[in-house]
């Protein structure tokens, strides 16, 4: 290298070094991802209606022999959607998901089939043998449907698929199958209400193969699964009741303990400890709970020994103890089960449930109609 070129080389290296130093903050700014705050529960702000209202309806479908597992969801314009499965019998290939729309306790859209096994098979490009429980949530103008389905075997080998609707459930498009295992995607079921979060939602689900435990599945705002956490609870169909932005009470249907299972779920901790609710016997049946205030909860449930009695019970200490406040149904030898209950923006409670497997019953009521003066202080 000649003496004349050395100064030029040094100058070039100096300029390159200066350029690289200038580019460092630019590259850092480009590639650096701003930390996203951890999702938290949305703290409920419940209100209850003051007027005494009790409206009863039922969805009659003479052409459908057996119906079960209804789910009620709040929709825009003070409308509620009620979804359930029905066919010649539970688990038959002719079972379909049905929908009816209610407004102010009146039916504004009669029951209609919105999803069948063959429709889901076409949408998912795989064989579907039968459909089961529907679970729904209305988020940002979209109605999401998680539906239990089986390709081979029974409910213990079920999976869950996620669909979405832009027309309040009249038509659904396919999104994806929930994959809860890297090896195979079996034994995942849902029945109870998703919980809204600051970013996305928490879907309570449960396993029925090898072990029978709840699993909490976190979906982000794009409905992508970000995490899941299994609760060693020996129970199924968990109901999540939010206490604070970090904690929630979980109540679940027992397997064989005879009493509703209860524990506290914490977002920032894997710690979990379940226990029996000693004063709440359960007929191995689903239950539903709504929060009425900071301390008061209302539960629809079947006490032991069977499903011939469907009750409303009230807790004034955030679920530690309960008191029966109303009999919804009671007929020896019959079955009234799988309640789904929510509170609307106006403070009215909406309750749907299976009535003798012949039809879905629906009640819109206010807390004032329960005559709780003797119960509440």
């Amino acid at each position: 290298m000649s003496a004349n070129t050395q100064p030029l080389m040094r100058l070039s290296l100096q300029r390159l070094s200066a350029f690289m130093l200038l580019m460092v903050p630019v590259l850092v700014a480009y590639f650096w991802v701003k930390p996203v705050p951890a999702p938290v529960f949305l703290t409920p702000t419940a209100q209850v209606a003051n007027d005494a209202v009790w409206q009863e309806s039922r969805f009659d479908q003479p052409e459908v022999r057996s119906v079960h597992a209804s789910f009620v969801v709040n929709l825009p314009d003070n409308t509620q959607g009620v979804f359930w499965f029905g066919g010649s019998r539970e688990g038959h290939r002719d079972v379909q998901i049905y929908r009816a729309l209610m407004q102010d306790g009146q039916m504004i859209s009669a029951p209609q089939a919105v999803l069948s096994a063959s429709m889901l098979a076409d949408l998912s490009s795989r064989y579907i043998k039968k459909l089961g429980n529907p679970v729904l949530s209305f988020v940002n103008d979209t109605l999401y449907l998680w539906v239990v389905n089986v390709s081979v075997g029974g409910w213990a080998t079920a999976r869950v698929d996620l669909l979405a609707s832009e027309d309040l459930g009249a038509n659904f498009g396919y999104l994806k199958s929930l994959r809860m295992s890297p090896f195979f995607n079996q034994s995942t079921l849902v029945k109870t209400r998703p919980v809204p979060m600051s970013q996305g939602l928490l879907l309570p689900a449960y396993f029925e193969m090898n072990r029978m435990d709840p699993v909490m599945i976190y979906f982000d705002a794009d409905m992508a699964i970000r995490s899941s956490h299994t609760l060693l609870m020996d129970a199924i169909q968990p109901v999540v009741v939010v206490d604070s932005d970090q904690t929630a009470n979980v109540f679940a249907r027992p397997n064989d303990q005879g009493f509703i299972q209860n524990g506290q779920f914490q977002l920032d901790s894997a710690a979990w400890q379940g226990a029996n609710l000693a004063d709440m016997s359960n007929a191995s049946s689903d239950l539903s709970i709504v929060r009425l205030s900071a301390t008061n909860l209302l539960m629809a449930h079947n006490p032991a020994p069977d499903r011939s009695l469907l009750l409303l019970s009230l807790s004034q200490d955030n679920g530690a103890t309960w008191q029966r406040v109303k009999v919804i149904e009671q007929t020896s030898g019959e079955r009234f089960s799988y309640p789904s209950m929510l509170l609307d923006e106006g403070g009215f409670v909406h309750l749907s449930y299976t009535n003798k497997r012949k039809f879905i019953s629906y009640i819109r009521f206010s807390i004032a109609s329960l005559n709780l003066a003797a119960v509440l202080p």
Side-chain angles (χ1 to χ4, degrees):
M1 182 179 296
S2 68
N4 293 332
T5 61
Q6 289 180 355
L8 294 175
M9 180 65 71
R10 285 196 296 269
L11 181 60
S12 298
L13 290 174
Q14 290 171 356
R15 288 176 176 175
L16 179 61
S17 299
F19 175 76
M20 293 302 296
L21 287 174
L22 289 173
M23 287 300 297
V24 167
V26 175
L27 292 171
V28 169
Y30 181 81
F31 288 105
W32 180 65
V33 178
K34 184 178 180 180
V36 177
V40 297
F41 290 123
L42 297 181
T43 307
T45 55
Q47 68 175 49
V48 296
N50 295 321
D51 298 332
V53 172
W54 186 275
Q55 298 169 279
E56 296 187 16
S57 307
R58 75 182 196 184
F59 306 115
D60 288 310
Q61 296 174 276
E63 75 283 3
V64 181
R65 184 176 179 182
S66 176
V67 296
H68 194 36
S70 65
F71 189 96
V72 57
V73 58
N74 279 326
L75 299 174
D77 301 322
N78 196 32
T79 299
Q80 284 71 42
V82 186
F83 293 76
W84 63 91
F85 70 73
S88 56
R89 59 176 173 79
E90 179 179 342
H92 197 273
R93 294 184 180 183
D94 66 3
V95 165
Q96 300 185 85
I97 303 299
Y98 290 88
R99 181 206 71 163
L101 296 181
M102 306 292 290
Q103 189 175 60
D104 296 327
Q106 303 296 320
M107 185 168 15
I108 60 173
S109 179
Q112 67 177 55
V114 296
L115 186 68
S116 66
S118 60
M119 291 169 63
L120 184 57
D122 290 340
L123 291 170
S124 64
S125 300
R126 72 174 194 276
Y127 173 69
I128 304 294
K129 176 183 176 182
K130 59 185 179 182
L131 299 181
N133 304 337
V135 166
L136 299 103
S137 183
F138 188 80
V139 182
N140 296 332
D141 298 324
T142 299
L143 181 62
Y144 293 97
L145 165 66
W146 292 265
V147 62
V148 175
N149 61 89
V150 173
S151 296
V152 179
W155 297 128
T157 60
R159 71 171 70 193
V160 176
D161 282 64
L162 175 60
L163 300 93
S165 171
E166 305 299 330
D167 56 10
L168 305 184
N171 300 277
F172 283 95
Y174 187 77
L175 295 183
K176 59 189 170 186
S177 177
L178 271 61
R179 300 195 175 278
M180 303 309 299
S181 166
F183 303 106
F184 57 91
N185 185 29
Q186 303 293 334
S187 184
T188 305
L189 297 91
V190 292
K191 173 60 183 73
T192 53
R193 192 167 308 284
V195 179
M197 303 186 70
S198 58
Q199 304 163 50
L201 55 80
L202 190 75
L203 177 69
Y206 56 100
F207 299 123
E208 282 197 9
M209 179 182 283
N210 297 327
R211 64 180 190 269
M212 300 179 74
D213 292 310
V215 55
M216 301 293 141
I217 307 172
Y218 170 57
F219 288 80
D220 66 16
D222 296 321
M223 286 298 161
I225 295 177
R226 292 305 181 189
S227 64
S228 64
H229 183 71
T230 301
L231 309 182
L232 301 180
M233 201 173 184
D234 193 24
I236 60 175
Q237 298 172 345
V239 177
V240 177
V241 182
V242 173
D243 293 330
S244 71
D245 64 351
Q246 289 292 327
T247 62
N249 252 317
V250 179
F251 302 85
R253 168 183 169 178
N255 288 331
D256 54 17
Q257 302 95 324
F259 297 91
I260 293 173
Q261 300 298 288
N262 173 234
Q264 190 174 74
F265 176 69
Q266 297 184 1
L267 289 177
D268 60 353
S269 171
W272 170 258
Q273 185 174 2
N276 290 334
L277 282 180
D279 61 339
M280 293 295 286
S281 66
N282 181 268
S284 186
S285 184
D286 186 32
L287 53 121
S288 187
I289 299 174
V290 295
R291 178 173 292 284
L292 304 178
S293 70
T295 57
N296 292 351
L297 308 178
L298 187 69
M299 178 192 294
H301 63 109
N302 297 112
D306 54 39
R307 301 180 182 181
S308 63
L309 175 61
L310 180 63
L311 292 173
L312 291 178
S313 292
L314 177 73
S315 172
Q316 300 177 71
D317 52 15
N318 208 34
T321 60
W322 297 82
Q323 182 175 350
R324 297 181 180 185
V325 294
K326 189 172 181 66
V327 173
I328 300 296
E329 298 278 4
Q330 185 173 20
T331 303
S332 179
E334 299 290 357
R335 301 210 305 175
F336 312 96
S337 60
Y338 273 48
S340 176
M341 189 165 57
L342 59 72
L343 198 66
D344 69 18
E345 292 182 352
F348 291 95
V349 181
H350 299 260
L351 169 66
S352 65
Y353 59 93
T354 301
N355 194 321
K356 307 174 186 178
R357 291 285 182 124
K358 296 179 180 178
F359 50 85
I360 300 299
S361 286
Y362 179 88
I363 305 174
R364 174 181 181 259
F365 65 94
S366 63
I367 299 303
S369 69
L370 299 180
N371 299 317
L372 299 180
V375 178
L376 296 174

